[in-house]
Amino acid sequence: MSNSLIIVESPTKVKTIKKYLGPDFDVRACMGHVKDLPKSTLGIDMDHDFEPTYQVIEAKKKTLSELKKAAKTARHIYLAPDPDREGEAIAWHIAQEVGVKGKTIQRVLFNDLTKNTILEAISHPLELDFNKYEAQQTRRILDRLVGYQISPLLWEKVKRGLSAGRVQSVAVRMVCDREEEIRRFVSEEYWNITASLEGAQPPPFDARLIRIDKKKAKVSDETQAANLLEKLKISPFLVSRVEKKEMKRSPSPPFTTSKLQQEASRKLSFSAKKTMSLAQKLYEGIELGPEGSVGLITYMRTDSFRIAEEALREARAYIQENYDPDYLPAKARVFKNTGTAQDAHEAIRPSSMAYKPQDIKAYLSNDQFRLYQLIWNRFMASQMNPALFDQTTIDVDAANCTFRAQGSVMKFAGYTIVYTEGKEENGNGEDTEFGKILPAVREGETLNLLALKPEQKFTQPLPRFTEATLVRELEEKGIGRPSTYAAILTTIQEREYVRLDKGRFHPTDLGEVVTELLVKNFPRVMDIAFTAILETQLDMIEAGKMKRLETLNEFYRPFAEELKKAKTDMRNIKRQETPTDRICEKCNSPMVIKWGRNGEFLACSNYPACKNTQNFTRGENGELVQPEPQMVETGHTCEKCRRPLVVKQGKFGPFLGCSGYPECKNIVNIQKDENGVITPVKEEVSDIDCENCGRPMIVKRGKFGPFLGCSGYPECKTIVRINKGKDGALKPQVVEVTDTLCDKCGKPMAVKPGRYGKFLGCTGYPECRGIKRYKAPKDDAHQSS
């Protein structure tokens, strides 16, 4: 019998912790949250101080039962979910459910899963942190109030299935605002002028125009550039200043969550979600052969640059042993946190210097290795000496202009021997001068002009956000916290409010419409500064400097007014029709712009008498542009009318349709070979005959997978669902006929699979289409749960 019970979140941690604590400890996993607000209702008691109503998650009832049983026999109970707000909430909910009278439940925090950390945490257990739990509850209640009360409005005004979120909607707004900036941006012409020069000593070098008449150079057009070139061609070029100085470049601090996500995006092309998933596994433990499971990094949700003294000593010892003495600073580097950092956890670092990336590469997947190596290198570099450069600046005067050349030559590699930070491109960035060697020149020396090179340029708008730059923007604006960045980016894409195109976020039509409605009707919720203030208030609740009820009351009173007003004033996109000057080619009625599930489209104003619709796009000035119909011929002909088959786009992807449509409605499924060549999918004739007309059944593919359809279609519309056996043979699904009779024709009803689960369908289908709700027998229901 184990003396102590330790409850962690993930089963991956169980092996790692058991290895260090031995048989006296029973280590179990709760698998994340065990209680949550109900899905079908708001779950917040508005009349009693916003009291939340938590329910045990159905899938966790068995887990909780096992934890309760284990708690009864344990002398000590330790709760060790992740050391953040979500982990604290999990700990509180477990304590409420498994608490045993007369037994103390204590909290332990593992910043990394090394032996020393685990033993130290068990030796010094803590009390459950009520303030941290209150901060999590406040966030959860705020998110529920916003999501569950605005989302139904969007269902009513735009379309069903939409959602609003207190933080996600602000992130979408950032993407939409950037897109609007890009649309409004007016590009301006400018010219760069570079002089190729030669002094008494080699090599030749280039200098760029920086000043005209002692003011910042601004050459706006070709005429101005040409006039300037004419003056410069006949002017001497004199060296007016030579400056040489030593420059230092210090290393970046170790990773925080956002910095890890940004750098993994830039250097490894990982999404934020993928980065966090890999980091979670590295933290929880990797099987390292005979050594067993080892946690390789510290906790990966943090906004602090702090490093434990023991880790600093270990890193410095490693550098001293493996690098020349010049690379080790006189004392450990300490990095200052930002004002908003919670400093609850260390920065992300290797849990031990004993596990070099190359030494354990065989035990890691390729992506795990690359991320671990990135974390290792960044941490090691952070404790090394700066890189030193000799930087030379040469200013050259000609006519009324000043040209400048800069060159930097590395003198000492310093931390760059291990790691250099990736750079994000910007709209108007210039090439780096690093590594450029300049000649020895003296002030007053006359240089030979070899060439003048004018280059036309145009100013560029700010680039669209990448995952890395959006995470950086969220962090800088104070939106969300380390634990939420990846979830925010994932959610706004899954909701189809934004899309990633070539690594950059574009708002969808849906995202822009929803954002416009929310900004107009809920200005406080959508205000970036206000959202950041709420995050600060959550931090204050965690620090015990503010109360949950105070924050909720302050937020909800004005929000309730906005909600009430929005129910009547919010524009109804569903019913909105914008007249156009287009005429319906079928009935000559005016066409109007409507909003559908895939955005704007043209529809006949004579609906429902005329159901004609058309797609369109908008030009640069917002004008309607009718897409040209694309009739891509394939070389295949229709087997029914011998006209060419063309590629068409349907709800479930491309297919071949007869060019004689609508007279001929023949369609053919297609497939692409490895060279992208389109070929029709040959019909696979089965050895099963149609039970209604005796003709062979053909394997067809539909919305829910393959099925058998009668080769006599459309005269015979019999279909049969099929399964494939282990030998690949097709087998009709066995139809379970019940004792229930159809209300329409009196025939027996059969159990059939549907989009939303099983239902009863008449065996007389398709002549009779009677259906009923299917109620599973008790035994069946028990097994399915």
Side-chain angles (χ1 to χ4, degrees), residues 293-349:
S293 183
V294 175
L296 294 176
I297 65 171
T298 53
Y299 191 58
M300 62 286 157
R301 295 188 181 95
T302 178
D303 56 5
S304 172
F305 295 130
R306 179 173 57 82
I307 296 294
E309 288 294 331
E310 183 184 348
L312 289 176
R313 287 194 296 270
E314 194 177 351
R316 289 176 59 78
Y318 182 90
I319 295 169
Q320 190 171 31
E321 184 180 338
N322 291 277
Y323 296 91
D324 290 341
D326 290 342
Y327 287 91
L328 183 66
K331 59 181 180 179
R333 286 186 170 277
V334 177
F335 296 90
K336 188 177 179 181
N337 284 328
T338 61
T340 57
Q342 294 180 39
D343 201 32
H345 315 294
E346 288 185 63
I348 303 169
R349 61 169 175 82

Side-chain angles (χ1 to χ4, degrees), residues 614-635:
Q614 295 174 3
N615 292 325
F616 73 90
T617 58
R618 290 190 182 272
E620 292 183 2
N621 300 316
E623 72 277 10
L624 303 188
V625 178
Q626 195 82 25
E628 292 293 327
Q630 293 184 339
M631 301 287 281
V632 181
E633 294 195 15
T634 61

Side-chain angles (χ1 to χ4, degrees), residues 85 95 596 613 747 780:
R85 288 176 187 164
T613 62
K747 291 181 181 178
D780 185 21

Side-chain angles (χ1 to χ4, degrees), residues 24-47:
D24 287 341
F25 286 83
D26 181 12
V27 187
R28 297 180 180 240
C30 66
M31 313 286 284
H33 280 280
V34 295
K35 295 172 78 173
D36 198 4
L37 297 172
K39 287 187 177 181
S40 56
T41 60
L42 182 64
I44 309 294
D45 191 341
M46 309 299 290
D47 298 323

Side-chain angles (χ1 to χ4, degrees), residues 485-501:
Y485 297 138
I488 292 168
L489 268 57
T490 300
T491 300
I492 63 177
Q493 292 176 75
E494 289 177 347
R495 300 296 185 189
E496 297 182 353
Y497 292 142
V498 301
R499 59 182 172 83
L500 268 178
D501 184 8

Side-chain angles (χ1 to χ4, degrees), residues 72-85:
K72 287 179 181 178
T73 58
R75 290 179 60 190
H76 304 286
I77 302 171
Y78 300 102
L79 302 180
D82 288 349
D84 56 14
R85 288 176 187 164

Side-chain angles (χ1 to χ4, degrees), residues 289 335 635 740 772:
F335 296 90
T740 306
K772 284 186 177 183

